[in-house]
Every structure is written in structure tokens, then in C-alpha cells.
Amino acid sequence: MRGLLSMSICAALMQSQSPSPAQPPAADDPIKTLVSRLDLEQYKATIKGLTQFGDRRQGTARNREAIDWIEAQLKSDGCSNTERIKYTFTPRTPGARGTQGAPGAAGATGAAGASAGAGAPGAASAAGAADAPAGRGRGTNAQGGGRIRRTGVNNDPNAQPDEKLRELDREPTPEGPGPREEVYCTKLGTTHPDEMYIVGAHMDGIGWGEAANDDGSGTALVMELARIFSSPDVQTDRSIRFVLWNNEESGTDGARAYVEQRQALQGKEDPAGSGKFPEPKWLGMIQHDMMLFDHGMPREDGTVSKEQRPEADVNIEFASTSKFSQQAQALAWAFYAANEKYATDYPASIGPHMTNTDSGRFQDVVPAISLRENQRGTEIGAGWDPQWHQPTDLYTTYSDKDFRLGLNAAQTTLSAVAQLTGASLKK
């Protein structure tokens, strides 16, 4: 894999976007200090707070309440300049990913063939194929036999044994078009406020559970990074935007709305001469989607181990089919290097098949990568996470090892973004 990227590309990226060449961690290394502010219990508490809203299915009251809660948390943690993207969501045909029929209706089970480039800006969303295995993964065979576990969306409320949670999740997504919102906040750069990295995760879920992993784990990660970067003693040369997408499960519609509304505004000073840039130029987009469960491939009977596999790692993916694939690959390697330098427990790996998450909406307009528990197309889509879109995606399902894997993803992103934006601590 390392041969896919020339050292000159990676070096050019780091030289153009870092304030200085990478140095070994010093005793007073500000990035090491920032990483040390990430706390496992705080990360778990943020995920737990999100689960009080059940699966946070888009279009429901619990989804709107969760957005309000996220915004309040961001403000209380110092990221006070919160804003919202407002858009109209138009449902797709019945059976597409994330649709919820009447209670007891059959789930939208997947079929093979999800595209690695699904969700690209301006392209039709691969909603119907989003829950399917995408190609041949490790532990599968090309004919569909062997150790492969078909995945889909649970739409049966009776599959959720917890009566209280079942009632919380019962309100369905409205059938017709309707208004939707998503919240973001920004860490303003001091010397280059007109340039920024976008750090995102989706806050909506499906499956009649708590969406603790998909994607409470990613949402909590982004919120924790917003908290740390918003500390009064932290400054960055470039800006960072923390976005909690909505409507990911319906086909990354919230990210699409952001691109459609904000892309043309990049780098424009408003008002002129003010030094304010409502939409700084995008330097890169980093998505976080399912951070906790790396227990290995399904066994012959389709079950998955209850224990984390010894080879558990943080997966960093880019889309080899995107217009910015070379730059995205360089960005992925910058994150890989940051993981090696600052992550405490788990290594990183890189894959070229980023797919079916919000970063796909950005991949043809800016270098974009996604951090996950496993590779989306070849592993998650082949059944490596039995909680995916299921009633078992609960906070209590996961162990401290699982949560620590998510924390290491947070360490990876925090340290990489801190390097790329020139983060420092005020004396």
C-alpha cells in the first residue's frame, strides 16, 4: 500500500499545509499536550448522551432534539459560533436505505455491488446498494458463499426487546418532503482564517437501537475535538470546521446540502475588508463513521467474535476513483504518520475504497478521507459488524476496548489536524 504514494506527494502536502517540517515529539510538544486532553470517560459520556435520543432517525422529533442537544454541548464547550445548515429533504423511493415503513415492515436488505465512488457530489446516491457487500472482502468468496454475512437495515420494532427504547424509536420518518437542519461550529485560524479543514460525522441513525456506534461514536469524536480545539489556550493558523451531518442514512443528503449551499462561497471575504470569511477555502474533508467495532470477519456460521481482534486498527480510507485521489491519498498518509507518532494503543491502516459516507459528497471537490473501525466496502459490508443498523447498536454492547479504539481514532485526527492547521498553545 505504501508504494501507492510517492514520498514527494506526501512531502509537498505537508510542506504546503504545515507551519514547519515534522519534528520528533519534544517535552513541550503542544500536539502531545492536546492529545493528552482526550479522555476515555469523557468520550464515552458524550456517546452515552447521544443515545438518550434513541436512533436519532432523520425527520423525527428525537432527531431535532438531538441536534439541539449537540448545539448546546458545543456552546458549553467553547465552540460558541454555532450555525445551522437548513435544507429540504425529499424522500427517495420505498426500499432505499434508511426508509422506515410501517411497524413490522421488512427491512431494506442489500444486494451486492455498491460502488466505491457512491455519493460523489452531483451524482445520484447509491441509497439502495448502500447496505450491500461491495466486492470481495477478506474472509469472503466471489460466489457469495463462505464467511460472508449479508447486511441490511432492521425495520422491525419487535426486534428491539427494550420496550422503552422501542417506544422512543417508534416515530417514523415523515413520508413527504420536509425541512431538515444540521449544526456546525468553527475554530477560526489566526493567520489564515480564509483556509480550513472540515471535520465531520453524521448524527442520524436507523435500526431501532441507539445508533451508539453508527454514528454516535463518530459524532462524539467530532464533538470532543471541537471541545479541545475551542479551549482558550489553543490557537491554530488555519480554521477548522466541525460539522455534524444529518440525513446520512437517507443517502448523505445533509452533506450534499452543505456542498450545494457553501461550495461557491469558499474564500470570499464578507463583508469586504472585514477579514471575515464565512466559508474559508476547503483544504480537506475528514469524515468519521463507525469507530468502535473491530472484532474480525464472521465465522463459518456467520457469527462474529465477542472479543476485539488482536489486529484491531484505525482504518483510514480515500477514494481511488475520485478527482482528488492523489491528494486524498497524501492526506491519508499524513494521518497515518500522526497515528504512529501520537496514538497510544492502536495502529492505522490505509485503504483506497472510501464509500457510502458523507465524505463522498466532497471527494471530487477537495481531498477527502474517512476514518472507520473497518474498511466500509470489503469488511463492514461483508458482515464484520453485526450491530450495523440493528437493534443491538447500543451503548451497553461495547467494551472499554471498543471505546478505546474510537479514542485512538480521535487521537489520530486531533494530532493530524493540529499539525496541518499549525496548532499551538498560548504561553
Side-chain angles (χ1 to χ4, degrees), residues 268-278:
K268 294 183 178 179
E269 193 177 27
D270 187 19
S274 65
K276 296 180 179 179
F277 299 86

Side-chain angles (χ1 to χ4, degrees), residues 275-290:
K276 296 180 179 179
F277 299 86
E279 192 66 27
K281 179 183 177 182
W282 305 342
L283 299 179
M285 191 271 161
I286 304 101
Q287 172 73 355
H288 303 84
D289 194 348
M290 302 174 64

Side-chain angles (χ1 to χ4, degrees), residues 81 83 184-197 237-241 258 262 264-282:
N81 57 354
E83 298 183 59
Y184 67 87
C185 69
T186 309
K187 171 69 174 181
L188 295 176
T190 55
T191 58
H192 297 284
D194 57 329
E195 299 176 344
M196 76 172 177
Y197 286 86
D237 294 336
R238 294 173 177 84
S239 299
I240 311 168
R241 180 153 293 169
Y258 185 96
R262 311 293 297 182
L265 303 178
Q266 291 183 71
K268 294 183 178 179
E269 193 177 27
D270 187 19
S274 65
K276 296 180 179 179
F277 299 86
E279 192 66 27
K281 179 183 177 182
W282 305 342

Side-chain angles (χ1 to χ4, degrees), residues 5 26 62 191 206 262 305 318 323 333-334 336 344 352:
L5 176 65
R62 61 188 181 276
T191 58
I206 49 178
R262 311 293 297 182
S305 173
F318 66 96
K323 292 180 180 179
W333 280 110
Y336 182 95
T344 56

